[in-house]
Amino acid sequence: MDNKQQVGAPDRNLINVNEDYELQYWSEKFGVSRDELREAVKQAGTSVEKVKAYLNK
């Protein structure tokens, strides 16, 4: 689960599609819809770098 009390590099490097604010942030950052982001995470995993590569951003 996303522990908002423990923030830092590990938390910033992962995308949690179960948190609405993360869906909003990352979908806007990558310029994709929330559904496209969910699919990218499903295919590439939760790593920001892997999702970014999957989306070719």
Side-chain angles (χ1 to χ4, degrees):
M1 295 302 277
D2 193 20
N3 185 344
K4 292 171 185 63
Q5 301 302 318
Q6 294 180 334
V7 295
D11 198 39
R12 286 191 300 258
N13 295 326
L14 301 175
I15 300 171
N16 182 350
V17 295
N18 297 314
E19 292 287 350
D20 191 55
Y21 70 94
E22 287 200 31
L23 270 178
Q24 179 179 349
Y25 174 80
W26 290 111
S27 62
E28 288 177 8
K29 181 157 179 74
F30 291 136
V32 297
S33 71
R34 290 175 182 218
D35 288 336
E36 289 171 316
L37 180 63
R38 283 188 190 99
E39 182 62 24
V41 168
K42 183 178 177 182
Q43 296 299 319
T46 59
S47 163
V48 171
E49 290 303 315
K50 288 182 180 181
V51 171
K52 185 177 179 180
Y54 178 84
L55 295 170
N56 295 315
K57 301 287 179 183

